[in-house]
Amino acid sequence: MKTANFMARGRQHRGVLRDGMLIDAAGEAHHPDEVQFLLPVNPGKVIALALNYADHNAELGFKTPEEPVMFLKPNTSLLPHGGTVEYPRGAQFMHYEVELGIVIGRDARRVKASDAEAYIGGYTIANDLVVRDYVSNYYRPPMRAKGWDTFGPLGPYLVSADEVPDPYNLGLRAFVNGELRQEGNTRDMILRGPELIEFMSRFMTLQAGDVILTGTPKGVSHVKPGDVMRLEIDGLGALENDVGWESEDAEPLIAQEGQRI
């Protein structure tokens, strides 16, 4: 089942996608192109994984880490399908990252990998945007690189786990202005969902609605204001967001080694 939160005719709805239409609680049909999408879930926290595809690690010149490299994506970074990503003033290199998002279905603490599937409520598409200017050492949490407002688009749908029989054999694609820029498959993940849930739930409670971002394959490239990003994952739909300038009164921040971005 694919569900979405959206605004239509001034009211907020939660609908089920059937035959290409969103059906709300009253049974009324809404065309997806005629609604304003909201976030598919409202997570208490978003835990993101870096360097979880070997080809992407090679692309960046990093070695594959010996254990998961994690960071928190602030909730202020979250953005629904159709929202505008703000390009920071002065940034030199901002790129998209198409990722499978795992949505926790019920609270999980000290869960073994063999039992973890029962704690997965569904899946969604995520775009883990980053200002690459700020990333030089993955041992430092990349909050300034990945934590900007609007840098965490999610959606458009929450797809229930029963509708994704094999989440580790899904094609991932990222298009910029209609051009295919990134392509991979979730089968190439280094650590999969059950292993991540076991690792994370050993020291913190994963709560219902939390989202785990599982990393991205190779193929990242620069985007700029005016670009439109379309991210696809087999069976999950397509997440689309345009890029616009940050407010004119925003001063560029000082990057590493005293350089402005």
Side-chain angles (χ1 to χ4, degrees), residues 226-239:
D227 287 344
V228 176
M229 302 170 291
R230 179 182 174 89
L231 277 54
E232 301 177 354
I233 298 180
D234 292 347
L236 304 189
L239 171 64

Side-chain angles (χ1 to χ4, degrees), residues 35-100:
V35 305
Q36 178 185 348
F37 277 86
L38 305 174
L39 292 171
V41 293
N42 292 294
K45 55 186 173 292
V46 178
I47 308 153
L49 198 69
L51 307 177
N52 199 32
Y53 285 77
D55 58 358
H56 180 55
N57 301 347
E59 175 181 46
L60 298 178
F62 287 131
K63 294 180 179 179
T64 297
E66 295 182 0
E67 64 177 34
V69 176
M70 299 172 297
F71 57 95
L72 291 173
K73 198 88 169 175
N75 284 20
T76 48
S77 73
L78 301 182
L79 186 73
H81 171 71
T84 297
V85 171
E86 294 184 353
Y87 189 98
R89 291 280 169 181
Q92 298 298 311
F93 186 55
M94 184 178 93
H95 70 228
Y96 52 83
E97 292 183 356
V98 58
E99 304 198 9
L100 176 68

Side-chain angles (χ1 to χ4, degrees), residues 37-180:
F37 277 86
L38 305 174
L39 292 171
V41 293
N42 292 294
K45 55 186 173 292
V46 178
I47 308 153
L49 198 69
L51 307 177
N52 199 32
Y53 285 77
D55 58 358
H56 180 55
N57 301 347
E59 175 181 46
L60 298 178
F62 287 131
K63 294 180 179 179
T64 297
E66 295 182 0
E67 64 177 34
V69 176
M70 299 172 297
F71 57 95
L72 291 173
K73 198 88 169 175
N75 284 20
T76 48
S77 73
L78 301 182
L79 186 73
H81 171 71
T84 297
V85 171
E86 294 184 353
Y87 189 98
R89 291 280 169 181
Q92 298 298 311
F93 186 55
M94 184 178 93
H95 70 228
Y96 52 83
E97 292 183 356
V98 58
E99 304 198 9
L100 176 68
I102 297 174
V103 181
I104 300 299
R106 59 191 177 101
D107 290 4
R109 182 75 162 95
R110 297 176 184 162
V111 172
K112 297 298 184 184
S114 57
D115 302 319
E117 294 286 358
Y119 292 82
I120 296 176
Y123 302 90
T124 192
I125 304 171
N127 188 353
D128 182 18
L129 286 144
V130 56
V131 175
R132 180 57 55 187
D133 312 44
Y134 280 137
V135 180
S136 64
N137 184 335
Y138 63 70
Y139 292 107
R140 299 173 185 168
M143 294 298 294
R144 190 167 59 164
K146 291 172 172 278
W148 293 75
D149 290 357
T150 75
F151 269 34
L154 291 177
Y157 304 109
L158 170 61
V159 184
S160 58
D162 62 340
E163 195 167 313
V164 187
D166 186 359
Y168 307 108
N169 189 23
L170 302 175
L172 307 96
R173 294 167 295 278
F175 298 83
V176 179
N177 303 327
E179 176 190 358
L180 179 63

Side-chain angles (χ1 to χ4, degrees), residues 6 128 221 242:
F6 61 93
D128 182 18
S221 65
D242 66 333

